[in-house]
Amino acid sequence: VALLILPVAAALVPAHIVFHLPAAPVANAVIDDVAPLPTTAPVAPAPTAAPIFTVERAVLLLLAVWAAGVLAVTARTAFGHFGLYLLHRRSVPHIPNGIDGEKFRGAHWQLRIRTAPGNEGPVTYGIIRSTVLLPKASVRWPRAQLEAVLLHEFAHVCRKDCLTRLIALAACAFYWPNPFVWSAAARQRREAEIA
């Protein structure tokens, strides 16, 4: 969050460095009663080719590369969320038998079984109303394993890990050239799993 606020704060805070330049001397001024030098007619400079590399072009090129990186990371994130949406559409609501419901009170969430093939682990997604998608094989899990998995996913829901993950992805998109931001996002993901 701090990294995302930083550019806005930098634009709002006034600059602390102010340069005061001395006034330019007046051309052809008489100094200590010395006569001014005679002026000659200005000579037109010889035509030269425009420089290929200028600072302005370099800044525009860097800005274009940065914007392309932001779009690429944002597109990858959007594509992943669209894939989760499709998984949600191909799933059915599920209420497991024999699970103590009192342990799971206090958060808005929905439990669904994926009907799509694949045994990838449980997935929690959604910010306002979180959804936990379980693989089809979860209907055959022992009750203790299912309850442990559900408690783990419920902790993600209670901690709003989907929201913090989305904020981390936004920071990664904005600061994509910085490897420390990617490292911090990966560490945040690991810490969320441990917590």
Side-chain angles (χ1 to χ4, degrees):
V1 170
L3 284 175
L4 293 175
I5 293 174
L6 187 63
V8 176
L12 295 177
V13 174
H16 292 283
I17 300 174
V18 179
F19 294 101
H20 295 285
L21 300 176
V26 179
N28 294 334
V30 176
I31 301 174
D32 296 329
D33 296 330
V34 177
L37 296 173
T39 58
T40 58
V43 178
T48 59
I52 296 173
F53 182 79
T54 62
V55 173
E56 292 83 11
R57 286 183 181 173
V59 168
L60 286 176
L61 178 65
L62 287 174
L63 188 61
V65 169
W66 173 80
V70 170
L71 287 175
V73 174
T74 304
R76 188 182 88 178
T77 302
F79 184 72
H81 280 67
F82 183 69
L84 285 173
Y85 169 76
L86 291 179
L87 276 178
H88 181 269
R89 297 263 307 175
R90 292 182 289 180
S91 63
V92 294
H94 177 64
I95 300 173
N97 292 328
I99 299 295
D100 183 12
E102 288 299 318
K103 295 179 181 178
F104 302 102
R105 297 209 187 282
H108 297 288
W109 70 320
Q110 182 181 24
L111 184 62
R112 297 178 72 94
I113 296 286
R114 292 196 316 246
T115 57
N119 270 341
E120 292 81 25
V123 177
T124 301
Y125 81 101
I127 296 171
I128 297 171
R129 182 178 173 107
S130 297
T131 302
V132 175
L133 295 173
L134 296 175
K136 281 200 293 190
S138 66
V139 296
R140 295 185 301 277
W141 288 349
R143 192 183 69 165
Q145 178 186 359
L146 181 60
E147 189 168 315
V149 167
L150 291 178
L151 284 172
H152 176 89
E153 297 304 321
F154 186 66
H156 283 305
V157 172
C158 292
R159 291 170 38 88
K160 302 288 185 196
D161 285 338
C162 290
L163 176 61
T164 57
R165 175 79 179 123
L166 191 62
I167 292 170
L169 286 171
C172 286
F174 194 77
Y175 293 100
W176 66 265
N178 188 340
F180 296 113
V181 174
W182 290 98
S183 176
R187 180 68 185 260
Q188 180 260 342
R189 211 167 38 247
R190 284 192 306 271
E191 293 298 325
E193 288 300 321
I194 293 169

